[in-house]
Amino acid sequence: MLTPVPAISIQGVGKTFNPDSDGRIVALDGIDLDVDAQEFVSLIGPSGCGKSTLLRLIADLVTPTAGIVEVFGKPAHQARLDRDYGMVFQSAGLFSWRKVARNIELPLELMGWSKADREARSAEMLELVQLPEFGNHYPWQLSGGMQQRVAIARALSFKPRLLLMDEPFGALDEMTREHMQNELLELVAEVGTTVVFVTHSVSEATFLSDRVVVLSPRPGRIQEIIDVPLGDHRTEETREDEAYFKCATEVREALRRVGASS
Amino acid sequence: MTADTTSVAAGYTVPRRFGAVAPAVIAGVVLLALWELGVRAFGIREFVLPRPSSIGQALVDNWSTSEGVSTVSLRQAGWNTTVIAVSGLVVGVSLGVALALLASRYVRVGRTLTPFAVAANATPIVALAPIFNAWFGITSALSNQAVVVVVVFFPVFLNTARGLLEVEPSQIELMRSYGASDLSVLRQVRIPNAIPFFLTSLRLAAPLSVIAAIVAEYFGGPQDRLGPVITQNASFARYAEAWAAIVVASVVGLALFALAVGFERVAMPWRRPVDGQ
């Protein structure tokens, strides 16, 4: 068998916005990062450090000004066209004019699935995110946490091998947030996806990730990569675990070293 | 998991009971009664302000046959004006939507058109009526229709274009993440996003079309319309008859507004119910 291709391979990537004008912003510089299949990696750093930009580079929603981004061994652009990843944003971004089930079916519709297949899959996904009875509701009838679960179901509906998440729980209260984190881990374990997760919360990054990538303030560079060896089965108890605190402290100190106020 | 599911999601219904409209109906009846009594009590002359009962009488007398100076019944005049208003409305709305689609698709078209549209929208377009008479002929209904088309066009164009362009950026990113084409983005995001904006403009445009038609009729065109009926009766001091024609005009305006609101209920099933609507 060949050496397994990493899920994501980023080599010497930089991104400069408005390169030719006075408003020139070097968002990212000299980023090298590999993410293995089924790995959970968080990007953390002070605001404006370019962590969201890095995620968008992987998603090919932003084009790098230097370096190469590969997803599953192909250029990010091709991976996007092949629909190799699902994406979740801070705002659930559900289409208010579509019922919940039809929101989940959106990517399937674009992929030309038949109606019956779409409906079967959305029902399955609603079950998975534990909202089986809400398929026929409109998004405004759901709470923020429920809407975000629908957004996750939509991102996973076509079973992509990669999930890109941009502060997906940022707008939720602490209780709902921890709840969603537990669920996300269960879901990811069940589906077996690779996850890249942008956050500014130390506890969130530590609880969720196999590795936490700490970025420096602008221009964003990778400052440190911290392993979080808390095992594959993390529960509520993990949050009170000595090892968890140790890892969280490590992340927090790394952030402090790069001069982040958080 | 169910912690946050209990408080919401029960499904809301729009109140449609008589109770919801009763206050407005009662207020209307009281207002009419005060009007009637006030005119009698203070001895206000009929040519200043006719009593509602006189207006009602004039309405009945002139509904199917003309009793007065005009040659046409109120029913016929009302119908003719409605045809002008509705045909102008349909053409104006279609043009507004078509150009909004064009302006959202081609940024340069939008940048060129929009400033003119904003300026024109702030101009009293009915002032163009005499000009249109010269263009389309003073006896032609076309000149009246043209005024309606132009009046209706601008709010529809501006609102719809805004709805097509003011889309949540993450929804566009989401569509791009699926490798969706511009056409898919238009169909799946921009058009549905623009529907509420369009419907709001339709609510504005529907009664506006009647106003535009009548004002245009004041300046020329065939005489068997509400506009001339109002001016002719007023100039012969037959104020109750003039008011009766105004009542017909407001009923037509209200009916078109109600149609626009009804259309909104059908076209926007996802619409979040708001109290009092």
Side-chain angles (χ1 to χ4, degrees):
Chain A
M1 208 179 133
L2 298 163
T3 11
V5 182
I8 300 168
S9 159
I10 300 171
Q11 290 155 37
V13 160
K15 175 65 188 177
T16 306
F17 289 104
N18 313 317
D20 305 321
S21 76
D22 290 345
R24 188 167 188 274
I25 296 167
V26 183
L28 290 167
D29 186 38
I31 303 284
D32 294 305
L33 179 69
D34 277 3
V35 176
D36 288 333
Q38 306 207 12
E39 199 180 10
F40 198 122
V41 171
S42 285
L43 308 176
I44 196 169
S47 348
C49 71
K51 48 193 192 287
S52 283
T53 304
L54 184 52
L55 193 77
R56 280 170 171 71
L57 284 166
I58 300 168
D60 185 48
L61 297 174
V62 168
T63 326
T65 36
I68 298 167
V69 180
E70 285 187 338
V71 178
F72 300 115
K74 45 193 168 183
H77 179 69
Q78 193 56 47
R80 174 169 70 86
L81 296 183
D82 292 350
R83 289 148 176 148
D84 277 334
Y85 67 83
M87 192 143 182
V88 181
F89 300 90
Q90 176 166 2
S91 70
L94 301 181
F95 292 4
S96 56
W97 48 88
R98 282 171 169 256
K99 288 184 175 176
V100 165
R102 296 255 297 126
N103 263 288
I104 296 173
E105 291 165 27
L106 173 72
L108 311 176
E109 216 174 296
L110 293 168
M111 291 168 162
W113 285 37
S114 76
K115 192 168 187 285
D117 288 349
R118 290 201 307 259
E119 280 171 358
R121 180 58 63 83
S122 68
E124 185 189 325
M125 295 313 297
L126 279 167
E127 204 73 50
L128 204 62
V129 295
Q130 304 184 36
L131 292 170
E133 67 273 43
F134 288 97
N136 243 338
H137 286 69
Y138 281 109
W140 64 265
Q141 294 170 300
L142 272 59
S143 70
M146 292 158 78
Q147 290 194 17
Q148 203 54 274
R149 267 188 266 160
V150 176
I152 293 170
R154 176 178 63 187
L156 291 175
S157 63
F158 52 100
K159 308 211 163 149
R161 289 179 286 169
L162 174 62
L163 188 57
L164 303 175
M165 307 182 89
D166 189 7
E167 295 188 37
F169 308 144
L172 305 179
D173 61 87
E174 188 70 22
M175 292 271 289
T176 314
R177 198 175 170 138
E178 292 196 350
H179 206 96
M180 298 283 293
Q181 292 164 3
N182 298 344
E183 270 180 48
L184 177 65
L185 283 185
E186 278 172 36
L187 206 61
V188 165
E190 197 165 331
V191 186
T193 40
T194 310
V195 184
V196 181
F197 191 100
V198 169
T199 179
H200 52 239
S201 156
V202 171
S203 57
E204 183 165 82
T206 312
F207 179 71
L208 292 173
S209 315
D210 298 314
R211 284 191 296 159
V212 178
V213 176
V214 181
L215 292 166
S216 68
R218 212 157 50 213
R221 294 192 176 92
I222 293 181
Q223 203 65 32
E224 256 174 83
I225 297 180
I226 294 155
D227 283 313
V228 187
L230 297 176
D232 285 340
H233 190 66
R234 302 180 190 189
T235 60
E236 272 308 303
E237 284 72 54
T238 314
R239 295 180 194 278
E240 288 154 16
D241 204 71
E242 189 108 11
Y244 165 78
F245 284 122
K246 205 170 140 278
C247 293
T249 306
E250 223 179 304
V251 174
R252 193 168 286 116
E253 282 173 354
L255 269 175
R256 201 169 295 148
R257 279 195 290 278
V258 301
S261 49
S262 61
Chain B
M1 173 53 49
T2 49
D4 58 345
T5 65
T6 45
S7 57
V8 276
Y12 291 66
T13 52
V14 185
R16 278 182 167 254
R17 294 158 291 119
F18 175 70
V21 291
V25 170
I26 292 167
V29 169
V30 168
L31 204 70
L32 282 177
L34 283 177
W35 177 352
E36 180 82 32
L37 290 174
V39 171
R40 283 172 192 264
F42 298 109
I44 298 172
R45 310 277 282 278
E46 286 272 323
F47 68 83
V48 178
L49 185 64
R51 283 180 276 125
S53 56
S54 315
I55 298 170
Q57 190 59 48
L59 189 60
V60 172
D61 291 344
N62 292 277
W63 178 245
S64 41
T65 53
S66 171
E67 305 248 303
V69 289
S70 63
T71 54
V72 66
S73 66
L74 279 179
R75 187 181 64 192
Q76 190 59 44
W79 172 251
N80 291 342
T81 296
T82 305
V83 169
I84 289 194
V86 171
S87 59
L89 184 66
V90 169
V91 174
V93 167
S94 312
L95 277 178
V97 170
L99 273 154
L101 282 168
L102 208 67
S104 73
R105 182 70 187 78
Y106 303 100
V107 180
R108 210 167 291 167
V109 175
R111 287 215 187 110
T112 316
L113 273 181
T114 310
F116 285 108
V118 170
N121 198 31
T123 315
I125 292 160
V126 284
L128 287 174
I131 312 285
F132 285 173
N133 282 332
W135 288 357
F136 300 107
I138 190 147
T139 52
S140 157
L142 209 59
S143 59
N144 296 345
Q145 279 167 315
V147 174
V148 178
V149 169
V150 176
V151 165
V152 159
F153 168 81
F154 289 103
V156 172
F157 168 74
L158 286 173
N159 274 291
T160 310
R162 235 183 95 198
L164 289 167
L165 292 170
E166 277 182 17
V167 175
E168 215 189 293
S170 71
Q171 294 185 338
I172 301 287
E173 283 199 311
L174 183 78
M175 291 298 283
R176 287 194 54 213
S177 82
Y178 300 137
S181 65
D182 283 353
L183 189 67
S184 283
V185 174
L186 181 69
R187 278 183 41 211
Q188 301 290 353
V189 184
R190 294 191 187 279
I191 290 177
N193 191 67
I195 285 177
F197 291 79
F198 165 72
L199 291 170
T200 303
S201 74
L202 199 61
R203 270 199 206 205
L204 273 171
L208 209 55
S209 71
V210 181
I211 297 172
I214 287 175
V215 175
E217 286 162 6
Y218 284 165
F219 290 98
Q223 296 301 293
D224 54 352
R225 313 273 140 100
L226 285 177
V229 169
I230 294 167
T231 49
Q232 284 160 5
N233 277 299
S235 63
F236 282 88
R238 297 167 55 88
Y239 291 105
E241 284 76 10
W243 275 91
I246 292 171
V247 170
V248 174
S250 12
V251 169
V252 173
L254 272 172
L256 289 182
F257 177 74
L259 269 178
V261 172
F263 183 61
E264 190 169 319
R265 288 184 198 278
V266 179
M268 249 178 85
W270 66 88
R271 182 171 162 279
R272 182 176 190 153
V274 180
D275 270 353
Q277 292 213 16

